[in-house]
Amino acid sequence: TTGTPTEDCTNLAEFVADITVKDKTRIAGNQSFMKTWRLRNIGTCTWTPDYQVVWTGGDVMSEQKAVALGQTVAPGEKVDVSVRLVAPAQRGSYRSSWKLQALNGQLFGIGRKGSQAFWVNILVPQDATRKASIEGVIWHDVCDNSGLSAESPPPGCRILDDGSYLADGVRDEAERPIGDAIVSLATGSCPGTEIATTRADANGHYVFADLPAGDYCVSIDPASSHNEPIFIPGAWSYPADGYYSIRLGPAETRKELNFGWDYQFAP
């Protein structure tokens, strides 16, 4: 006799399809997801709503080890069964095995004798315990306007719509850093809600570390009481508005958020 017998019938399932989260699906660490299998009742017992989907081994991805089937499935009928899971935080490959459980507590699954579990297999591509970070350099962007020419901009300069010149926004090795400036970090798109500030070192380098994934605004206010003696007079050459609106992924590092300032021109 195949399947799991009860007093007067046999419980047996057949795997039909993965409806969600096929094998080796990439899911970010700590992310919640719903796994759904489609099964067919190929036994002789009718599955009642009180039958359960039960974790039977492998990696634990949920505190809830059993979920009620929630519907009646007669022999020959198909049913979609789902469990809510959370991807582990650490990078790696994970597999969690599940079976059905009858009212008398007997477990049954798929295969000729109903002894095999159905499973979910995912890949976590990055370690979610690592935090994201933002960093960059503030530098003096030089526009050499000593040799003005109507035909072409001076070295290191670009022509604005009004015909004036501004530094080109490209950092050259000879251009010196701007140290001691205060940089602001806010949540959400700019201007956002400020959550932290940091001060650039003598090399113009700043960093915000240990950040969760999310949307951020990185900005410098050249007119603040601390920054005004450092920057004014002058204007941003890069980025044009003096801020970045960015989205950080889990454990992502953004090192290119640089600020260029041209002292030749007042805002």
Side-chain angles (χ1 to χ4, degrees), residues 7-265:
E7 293 181 359
D8 53 4
C9 62
T10 298
N11 281 304
L12 184 61
E14 177 185 52
F15 172 78
V16 178
D18 288 309
I19 302 304
T20 65
V21 191
K22 299 185 186 303
D23 283 356
K24 297 184 179 180
T25 296
R26 296 164 69 90
I27 298 179
N30 291 332
Q31 180 175 317
S32 175
F33 66 97
M34 184 73 77
K35 171 63 185 182
T36 301
W37 301 271
R38 180 163 294 165
L39 305 176
R40 180 183 283 110
N41 182 352
I42 59 172
T44 59
C45 294
T46 295
W47 303 345
T48 71
D50 292 326
Y51 274 51
Q52 296 189 96
V53 187
V54 179
W55 177 78
T56 58
D59 296 299
V60 177
M61 288 189 260
S62 173
E63 294 181 357
Q64 191 174 14
K65 302 299 194 309
V67 179
L69 185 62
Q71 56 188 297
T72 299
V73 185
E77 291 182 342
K78 291 182 289 188
V79 63
D80 289 351
V81 297
S82 302
V83 291
R84 172 69 65 179
L85 303 171
V86 177
Q90 302 291 329
R91 176 181 179 181
S93 176
Y94 297 90
R95 175 167 164 157
S96 182
S97 298
W98 297 74
K99 288 184 178 181
L100 295 170
Q101 187 175 55
L103 294 178
N104 62 1
Q106 291 178 312
L107 294 173
F108 65 98
I110 60 178
R112 191 173 67 86
K113 294 185 177 181
S115 59
Q116 299 176 21
F118 42 96
W119 64 83
V120 55
N121 171 218
I122 66 168
L123 300 176
V124 176
Q126 292 181 319
D127 188 345
T129 60
R130 290 174 51 215
K131 297 294 186 178
S133 64
I134 296 168
E135 57 185 288
V137 172
I138 311 165
W139 89 95
H140 175 201
D141 199 4
V142 178
C143 173
D144 182 7
N145 59 4
S146 58
L148 296 178
S149 169
E151 289 77 22
S152 61
C157 305
R158 67 180 186 270
I159 301 176
L160 303 181
D161 292 340
D162 62 3
S164 63
Y165 295 103
L166 187 70
D168 60 7
V170 178
R171 189 185 183 198
D172 300 323
E173 290 185 5
E175 293 175 332
R176 62 181 175 83
I178 300 174
D180 199 43
I182 289 181
V183 186
S184 174
L185 179 69
T187 55
S189 298
C190 292
T193 302
E194 186 176 88
I195 57 172
T197 60
T198 190
R199 186 174 296 189
D201 63 20
N203 295 316
H205 179 257
Y206 74 91
V207 62
F208 294 101
D210 297 327
L211 301 174
D215 295 326
Y216 291 96
C217 174
V218 187
S219 64
I220 299 176
D221 180 6
S224 71
S225 59
H226 177 88
N227 286 341
E228 183 176 6
I230 299 173
F231 289 101
I232 304 301
W236 291 115
S237 64
Y238 187 84
D241 297 316
Y243 63 79
Y244 292 93
S245 286
I246 66 167
R247 173 164 293 177
L248 276 181
E252 183 179 6
T253 297
R254 297 286 297 272
K255 295 184 176 182
E256 79 289 0
L257 303 188
N258 301 325
F259 291 86
W261 183 263
D262 185 346
Y263 285 112
Q264 294 294 323
F265 301 92

